[in-house]
Amino acid sequence: MNTCTRVPTFSRRTMLRSLAASAAVGAAGGTLAACSGTGSSSSNELRILVLKHPLTKPMAQMAWAKQLEDIAGMPITWEEVSADWDQKKSTMLAAGDVPDLIVGTGAISDSDLATYGTLFEDLSDDLDAISNVKEMLTTKPELTALATQSGGAIYAVPGYKRFWPPTVQHQYINRQWLDALGLEMPTTWDELYDVLVAFKEGDPTGTGAKVIPMDWSPVGTTGFGYFQSILLLGSTGLPLSSGGGQGYFLQDGKVSNFLIDERYRDVMVFLSKCYAAGLISTEVLTQDYSAYQSAARGPGDGVATVGFTWGWTRSDRFGPEIYEQYEAMPVLAQKAGQAATVSWSYDGLGENFPANQIVVSASTPNKEAALKVLNAFYDREMSLQVLFGDIGPNIEKVDENTYKVLPAEDGTDPSTWKWTSTLADNGPMWIRDDITVELPTDLQEAIDETVPLQPAIDNMDLDKDVYPTQFIKMTAEDISAMALVNTTMLNTTQTKFADWITNGGVEEQWDDYLATVKASGIEDNIAKMQQYYDDYMTSKQ
C-alpha cells in the first residue's frame, strides 16, 4: 500500500480496508487529490464527491466517467478524496454542505445516517426513477434488507460484486525456505514457532541477510482489519468475519466478543512469546501499510525477506519477482490433537454485498440528473467498467453476454492495474449473474488460494457463525449508544494489544484487563446485537 516507485503495492484489499474503515488511508501516507468540501451545488452542474485509491487516475481520464456527463445532461465536477476522509466528512456533515452525490463503499455509514440522515434523499419513493436499482433490489432481495433503514427509508444504495471468494484473507509461508532448511510444513502453533526460529537462525536465503520470520498488516486504534494476526483465532475454532472489526463474533447463534474471550488471550500469549524470541517484525506496531507490503516484496534482488504472513494473493503480497517462493497454507491447529475444530474468517458477505456505496443529497438542485447518474452506475456494462476499468484497455467485450478482463500491457500486476484504472471496489455496481466474465488473474488466484482454507470455512455455519452485520439495521439510539461503548472499550483493548505483544504479561494482567473491558459496557452491546440477530433470524423464517 504505497506510492513508491519500486513496488506498486496499493492493492484492492488495501483500498477496501482503508476506505471502509476510513482510517488507514492517512496512515498509509495517501494524499488528498482534490476536495473542496465547500461551496454549494449549483443548478448548472452536478457535484460528485468520490472516495478514491491514491493510485487511481483522475476521474476525467476514465471513459465511463465521461459517459455519466452525457447521461446527466450537464457537466460533472468531481471532488476526489484519497485521504483523511473521516476528518473531512465530520466537517462536511456538521456544516450540512453535502454535494449532489457521494460515491464510495461505506463512505457514509449507517452511524452517519443515524445522526445526519436528513441531509440525504430518502430514495424509497424514487425507485421508479432508478430502474436499475429497483431491478437489482428485486433480483437480489437481500440487498433490500441491506439498503433499508429500520424506519423504512433508503438513503444509501448497496451493490453486488458476485465473484469474490468466501475469504479474502490467505495465510502464506515461504516454501523455498522450508525446503532449504529441510523443514516440514507446520500444522500447529508449536510447530510454527519452531519453524520461525529456524527461519531466524538458519539463514534460509543462503545470503546471510536478516529475515523477518512473521509479519502482519497494521492494527488500528478503531479495531482490527484484514491480514492481521488475530486470524490465529481460527486455530482455536473461533469464527471471524470481515476482518474482525471491534471483536464481535457469532458462534452457534450466540454473540460474543473475542476481546474478552480466553481464546484471544491464548493468541496474545503465543504472539508475545514469538515477539520475545525475535520472530516478529520489530516494526509490526509502527509500520504503515506501505512498509508492511514493501517488506514482503524483498529488496528487489530476488531474495525474500518475510517467512510467514497473511495477504490477499501471493502475487499481490510478495510481488511478481518472488511470489512463487510462497505457498498458501491451511489453518493451523492451536495444539496437536485438540478437540476444537478449526475455523477461519468468512468475508464473502461483506465483499459480495458491499453496503452504502452511493447517496444523494436531500437538497440537491439537480435531483433528476443525480438520480440518472446513480441509476447509470448500476447499468450492466457501466458496473463492469466501474469495477475493472474501461471497455477497450481494461475489458474486452467478447459478445453481448461475455466479457474478458484484460491484463495490463506493461505487465503491471492485475490488482494494481485495476486500482490504477478505475474506482474498483469503491464504486457502486451490480454485476449480473447472467453474464460471463473471464476474471483477472489475481481474483482467480485468490479463489485458488482459498482451497487450503476451505475445510475450515466449511466448519462454519453461515447462519450461526457469521454475524449478518450489513443486513441488520439498528435504531439511531442503539447505534449511538454502542459507538460510545466501543470507543471506551477500544481505548483499553488496542493499547493492551500493543503492550502485550512487546512487553508480555498477558496471563498476569488478564483478569484486571477483563474487568476494565467489561466495565465499558461491552456486555450491553453483546446483548443488543444478540437481540437484533435473533429478530433478524426470526424474520427470515
Side-chain angles (χ1 to χ4, degrees):
M1 181 177 183
N2 66 23
T3 56
C4 66
T5 55
R6 181 174 64 80
V7 185
T9 55
F10 246 119
S11 71
R12 62 170 298 282
R13 298 294 89 230
T14 304
M15 193 57 191
L16 178 66
R17 183 181 64 83
S18 58
L19 288 182
S22 300
V25 170
T31 57
L32 176 66
C35 177
S36 66
T38 60
S40 300
S41 299
S42 77
S43 58
N44 300 319
E45 65 175 9
L46 207 56
R47 180 178 158 220
I48 304 178
L49 188 151
V50 57
L51 295 192
K52 286 177 47 188
H53 190 300
L55 280 184
T56 303
K57 64 186 180 183
M59 298 300 295
Q61 296 179 16
M62 301 177 196
W64 64 260
K66 294 178 182 176
Q67 295 171 19
L68 291 178
E69 287 199 344
D70 296 333
I71 293 169
M74 63 176 60
I76 293 176
T77 297
W78 295 96
E79 299 175 358
E80 304 178 27
V81 179
S82 298
D84 303 327
W85 172 236
D86 269 353
Q87 296 91 323
K88 297 184 179 302
K89 178 172 67 173
S90 297
T91 302
M92 179 188 72
L93 294 178
D97 180 24
V98 177
D100 297 308
L101 293 121
I102 298 176
V103 171
T105 301
I108 298 297
S109 67
D110 282 353
S111 180
D112 298 325
L113 294 173
T115 305
Y116 298 104
T118 56
L119 295 179
F120 301 101
E121 179 71 19
D122 178 2
L123 300 168
S124 62
D125 56 0
D126 294 309
L127 292 178
D128 287 339
I130 45 177
S131 57
N132 287 330
V133 174
K134 183 178 182 180
E135 184 183 354
M136 178 181 72
L137 298 182
T138 301
T139 305
K140 293 288 180 186
E142 55 269 63
L143 289 175
T144 300
L146 182 53
T148 308
Q149 300 296 314
S150 59
I154 297 177
Y155 295 119
V157 182
Y160 177 58
K161 290 198 304 183
R162 178 185 169 187
F163 294 114
W164 265 248
T167 185
V168 298
Q169 304 181 84
H170 303 96
Q171 185 166 265
Y172 302 107
I173 196 164
N174 192 308
R175 164 56 74 181
Q176 188 168 300
W177 290 8
L178 288 174
D179 293 342
L181 298 174
L183 302 171
E184 298 292 328
M185 176 74 76
T187 60
T188 66
W189 289 1
D190 284 343
E191 292 178 4
L192 176 65
Y193 181 87
D194 292 340
V195 164
L196 297 179
V197 170
F199 283 173
K200 176 175 179 280
E201 300 177 351
D203 189 19
T205 66
T207 66
K210 184 179 180 180
V211 302
I212 301 173
M214 184 197 300
D215 199 8
W216 61 79
S217 74
V219 175
T221 58
T222 57
F224 295 90
Y226 286 155
F227 320 134
Q228 297 175 357
S229 53
I230 59 164
L231 285 166
L232 289 173
L233 285 167
S235 303
T236 72
L238 190 150
L240 296 170
S241 60
S242 299
Q246 293 154 334
Y248 298 98
F249 71 97
L250 183 73
Q251 186 164 30
D252 297 329
K254 299 298 181 184
V255 179
S256 190
N257 190 304
F258 65 70
L259 293 168
I260 55 173
D261 192 294
E262 291 187 351
R263 291 170 288 185
Y264 174 70
R265 180 199 60 191
D266 293 346
V267 169
M268 296 308 302
V269 169
F270 177 68
L271 293 176
S272 177
K273 173 185 173 184
C274 290
Y275 191 89
L279 306 180
I280 296 174
S281 168
T282 55
E283 310 296 326
V284 73
L285 297 173
T286 56
Q287 65 188 350
D288 63 18
Y289 202 91
S290 175
Y292 151 79
Q293 278 283 62
S294 293
R297 295 192 172 205
D301 57 1
V303 177
T305 301
V306 174
F308 171 78
T309 188
W310 298 271
W312 159 236
T313 64
R314 290 187 304 159
S315 61
D316 177 70
R317 182 76 180 97
F318 306 106
E321 190 177 32
I322 60 172
Y323 79 95
E324 290 181 334
Q325 294 187 22
Y326 290 85
E327 183 171 325
M329 296 174 64
V331 178
L332 297 161
Q334 181 178 1
K335 59 184 71 173
Q338 70 182 41
T341 57
V342 297
S343 184
W344 192 243
S345 180
Y346 187 87
D347 311 317
L349 290 180
E351 290 294 326
N352 286 307
F353 298 92
N356 296 23
Q357 294 200 302
I358 184 169
V359 295
V360 177
S361 168
S363 58
T364 174
N366 307 304
K367 181 177 176 180
E368 181 178 355
L371 293 182
K372 286 180 179 178
V373 168
L374 185 153
N375 191 57
F377 271 109
Y378 293 89
D379 169 78
R380 184 177 66 172
E381 288 193 352
M382 184 67 75
S383 291
L384 279 173
Q385 293 180 97
V386 169
L387 181 57
F388 294 117
D390 293 324
I391 290 178
N394 298 87
I395 299 174
E396 175 187 352
K397 183 175 182 178
V398 179
D399 58 38
E400 285 304 312
N401 291 302
T402 306
Y403 302 85
K404 178 181 180 181
V405 181
L406 301 173
E409 292 183 353
D410 63 0
T412 299
D413 69 85
S415 180
T416 301
W417 173 231
K418 183 181 76 168
W419 284 108
T420 303
S421 302
T422 185
L423 293 182
D425 304 42
N426 286 302
M429 70 194 74
W430 172 24
I431 306 301
R432 271 64 166 180
D433 286 326
D434 60 355
I435 61 173
T436 299
V437 181
E438 185 175 329
L439 299 173
T441 56
D442 68 323
L443 192 48
Q444 186 58 55
E445 190 182 358
I447 293 170
D448 294 341
E449 291 173 1
T450 299
V451 172
L453 302 169
Q454 195 61 51
I457 295 171
D458 289 343
N459 288 335
M460 301 171 69
D461 182 323
L462 298 190
D463 283 334
K464 295 182 178 179
D465 295 328
V466 180
Y467 195 84
T469 303
Q470 60 267 57
F471 299 112
I472 289 177
K473 298 299 181 183
M474 300 180 180
T475 65
E477 293 76 14
D478 282 343
I479 289 174
S480 297
M482 293 176 67
L484 287 174
V485 169
N486 288 335
T487 298
T488 302
M489 172 189 73
L490 291 166
N491 282 340
T492 298
T493 60
Q494 302 313 92
T495 300
K496 292 310 296 182
F497 175 83
D499 181 43
W500 283 339
I501 293 290
T502 54
N503 299 314
V506 184
E507 291 169 300
E508 297 86 349
Q509 299 171 23
W510 180 257
D511 288 345
D512 289 342
Y513 160 87
L514 208 57
T516 302
V517 175
K518 287 185 176 180
S520 69
I522 187 174
E523 290 171 315
D524 293 336
N525 276 11
I526 291 172
K528 285 188 174 74
M529 292 181 67
Q530 184 72 55
Q531 187 60 58
Y532 277 107
Y533 167 76
D534 291 342
D535 293 345
Y536 172 76
M537 294 305 293
T538 299
S539 72
K540 289 181 63 177
Q541 295 176 355

